[in-house]
Amino acid sequence: MKIVSATPVNNGKQVDIEFENKSAYRFHTAWIRDASPSHVGQDFYRKSAKTVFEVDKYTAETCQPSESGEKLVVHFKNGVAENADSDEYVSSWLHAFAPHVGQPLNAHSELKEVLRGTGSVMEALHKNRKPWLADLKMPIFDAKELMESEEKQAEFLECMTDPGVALIKGVGGPESLETSVVGLPLEKLGSGIIGRMNQHPVRATRYGVMHAEARAAAAGADYDHANPLSMHADHSVYHGTPGYLQLMYQARGTVTSKVCDGIAVAEYIKENHPEDYELLTTVHVTHSSRNQIYAQDGAYRQDTASPGATFELVHTHPVITIGEDGLLEKIVQSETKRGVSALPYDKYERFMEAYKLWTKLVEDPRFICNFEWPEHSVVAMNNYRTLHGRAKVPAGMERTMIFGYFQKTIVENRYRFLRQRLVEKQSTMLNDRWLTRLPNQILSKLV
Ligand SMILES: [Fe+2]
């Protein structure tokens, strides 16, 4: 978006800028000066903590569109001749901010609501998520291609918002099945495309290991393959659910597994059982457990002589959390980890009916997508949206599965970075100096 004219007004305290689409805004000169990337060093931090006390001493003397209106040169002065200087701004960057920081000057201009909160570059995609059913066509990525391509990584993270599940093939096998190395292919993939996996409170490795053998079954009902878990989300007992994305790596064995879209079930209930939906989104239940799977050295307890490292977990929340935007933010479901909930007397019977309806529906074949999960591939899913069941392991098949989680902030900032990078690679004007440090809501208009 080019600038056609720019004029200092009110003795240079403000600047009126007109863009080629006829929109026009009045900007504070101090805002323009304060926002300049010139104040920022190579490390993307402000060079000085004192500039903030000086920016409002400056007025705009002249403003001149340059490079055919793609840029604006502002000449600033502050009453001391040697302090006068010029700075250059990218027009499309000023245009992205204009409805948020400017005063509209004509009917072609708009005034945006006051910007609040961190938001997400993923927001538009989040709003357009489509529910899926049993016939979901599982998106498939190639591990090597993902590791090498930022475009593919962005596409993969978009896929983690919608449909919220994908298969990554060609991850390769582990060097051995030893706990300290068996998950390294997953860790390498995860850190290559997203970032560090979430650190467990006690376990030495960031990934967990599940063997379809007797020694793992001893670790708890969660690991008992003879007693398949019902459809669930992970991290139900962790306050705030740190596990936003979940990667599960089939280090040994080939199985079939199943997933279910929490949005599809929630929308079905909203439409057909509105009172149940209301209860599931407002009544808080408690998920809680005491974990005694690990030892003080961070190993699985049955694999070490180290004493136990027992810890407590509790999380109280609605089964379906609705965000401020009115859209589904998070599903937390795990019948085996459901604790004792403080359900109000007058809502108890009706709520439990709603909860049983929900728990049955997430098992309903209409909503369950079954898929092949080959050896050395990874199932990636959005743990806030997609529920999963226990895999079906063929008789006699030895299986080792590795799992790890990524926090929402890490995922969202990785996606922000990838979108910035994709524009930086194409454009000469919108380089990293212009695309960094902006609110997500503004950045979204530029990437
Ligand atoms: Fe799970």
Side-chain angles (χ1 to χ4, degrees):
M1 179 63 65
K2 293 180 182 179
I3 288 174
V4 293
S5 73
T7 318
V9 294
N10 301 331
N11 298 318
K13 285 189 76 67
Q14 278 88 26
V15 177
D16 287 356
I17 300 178
E18 189 187 347
F19 296 92
E20 62 177 344
N21 67 351
K22 295 197 168 66
S23 65
Y25 299 87
R26 179 162 296 175
F27 288 73
H28 290 295
T29 302
W31 182 89
I32 295 177
R33 187 165 178 94
D34 187 49
S36 171
S38 312
H39 299 306
V40 175
Q42 291 297 320
D43 57 2
F44 299 101
Y45 293 131
R46 286 182 186 269
K47 292 175 197 162
S48 162
K50 287 184 184 147
T51 316
V52 65
F53 299 105
E54 294 158 11
V55 287
D56 59 350
K57 309 276 189 297
Y58 281 84
T59 55
E61 189 176 36
T62 59
C63 300
Q64 198 59 48
S66 70
E67 298 186 35
S68 313
E70 298 280 5
K71 287 189 176 174
L72 180 72
V73 178
V74 182
H75 189 67
F76 296 99
K77 59 173 188 176
N78 76 346
V80 181
E82 58 268 29
N83 284 350
D85 59 11
S86 288
D87 211 344
E88 199 176 46
Y89 294 83
V90 175
S91 301
S92 57
W93 184 91
L94 285 169
H95 183 259
F97 271 106
H100 299 271
V101 306
Q103 180 185 52
L105 295 175
N106 63 27
H108 300 285
S109 317
E110 51 171 347
L111 182 61
K112 288 274 190 202
E113 273 176 43
V114 176
L115 190 152
R116 298 177 74 92
T118 304
S120 162
V121 180
M122 203 76 90
E123 194 174 305
L125 196 65
H126 181 82
K127 281 186 176 154
N128 282 312
R129 292 172 300 172
K130 301 275 182 296
W132 48 263
L133 300 170
D135 60 353
L136 169 79
K137 199 171 174 300
M138 177 79 78
I140 295 175
F141 291 86
D142 175 70
K144 188 168 179 286
E145 208 184 341
L146 254 185
M147 291 290 276
E148 288 168 359
S149 158
E150 289 180 333
E151 282 87 347
K152 274 282 161 194
Q153 289 166 22
E155 194 188 313
F156 168 74
L157 292 182
E158 284 160 12
C159 208
M160 289 296 97
T161 290
D162 196 37
V165 60
L167 201 59
I168 305 171
K169 291 190 171 174
V171 178
E175 263 178 41
S176 89
L177 294 173
E178 276 311 304
T179 300
S180 59
V181 296
V182 66
L184 294 183
L186 180 71
E187 228 171 24
K188 189 176 162 204
L189 175 74
S191 57
I193 64 177
I194 307 169
R196 276 279 168 88
M197 291 196 287
N198 190 55
Q199 177 63 60
H200 186 274
V202 169
R203 194 177 58 218
T205 52
R206 289 193 174 83
Y207 52 82
V209 182
M210 220 188 267
H211 297 283
E213 292 165 335
R215 69 180 186 127
D222 217 16
Y223 296 73
D224 182 358
H225 290 251
N227 174 25
L229 276 181
S230 48
M231 296 301 283
H232 66 283
D234 281 6
H235 274 195
S236 57
V237 288
Y238 283 87
H239 181 181
T241 333
Y244 174 65
L245 288 196
Q246 178 178 12
L247 298 191
M248 300 195 289
Y249 164 54
Q250 195 83 266
R252 178 177 57 150
T254 290
V255 301
T256 57
S257 196
K258 50 188 181 176
V259 284
C260 157
D261 182 16
I263 294 181
V265 180
E267 287 199 357
Y268 176 87
I269 296 180
K270 187 179 185 180
E271 202 161 296
N272 298 284
H273 308 273
E275 197 183 311
D276 299 69
Y277 181 79
E278 169 70 16
L279 290 161
L280 290 165
T281 53
T282 54
V283 174
H284 287 220
V285 296
T286 294
H287 283 88
S288 180
S289 68
R290 176 167 291 191
N291 185 307
Q292 38 197 18
I293 296 173
Y294 306 95
Q296 284 174 15
D297 64 358
Y300 284 89
R301 207 174 285 194
Q302 73 272 14
D303 292 342
T304 178
S306 176
T310 299
F311 63 100
E312 269 284 317
L313 290 163
V314 64
H315 181 205
T316 300
H317 54 86
V319 172
I320 302 168
T321 300
I322 302 299
E324 274 182 28
D325 54 8
L327 301 172
L328 186 141
E329 181 180 304
K330 179 163 66 176
I331 296 289
V332 178
Q333 166 73 10
S334 176
E335 181 44 23
T336 53
K337 295 189 175 74
R338 188 167 58 86
V340 184
S341 301
L343 298 167
Y345 183 87
D346 60 336
K347 285 190 176 150
Y348 175 73
E349 288 167 301
R350 192 61 193 85
F351 173 78
M352 288 308 284
E353 267 178 51
Y355 178 70
K356 282 185 269 186
L357 171 73
W358 158 262
T359 305
K360 267 190 195 146
L361 280 172
V362 296
E363 305 283 343
D364 190 313
R366 279 177 293 173
F367 294 108
I368 303 258
C369 167
N370 294 286
F371 64 95
E372 298 288 322
W373 185 1
E375 189 168 64
H376 303 162
S377 63
V378 162
V379 177
M381 65 184 121
N382 184 324
N383 187 49
Y384 282 19
R385 166 174 186 178
T386 308
L387 294 90
H388 59 282
R390 171 70 73 241
K392 244 192 231 154
V393 184
M397 168 83 69
E398 288 192 312
R399 180 194 187 215
T400 299
M401 193 274 282
I402 312 301
F403 56 99
Y405 307 92
F406 298 84
Q407 292 176 24
K408 190 167 191 241
T409 309
I410 291 174
V411 173
E412 287 190 333
N413 281 331
R414 174 66 181 174
Y415 183 67
R416 175 180 158 99
F417 172 72
L418 290 169
R419 290 291 296 269
Q420 288 168 326
R421 288 278 299 156
L422 296 180
V423 173
E424 287 164 22
K425 277 194 249 180
Q426 293 165 8
S427 166
T428 50
M429 279 200 198
L430 288 173
N431 57 24
D432 53 7
R433 296 174 59 69
W434 293 99
L435 292 179
T436 51
R437 310 188 304 126
L438 319 186
N440 281 323
Q441 295 88 333
I442 309 285
L443 180 67
S444 298
K445 300 191 212 177
L446 297 169
V447 298

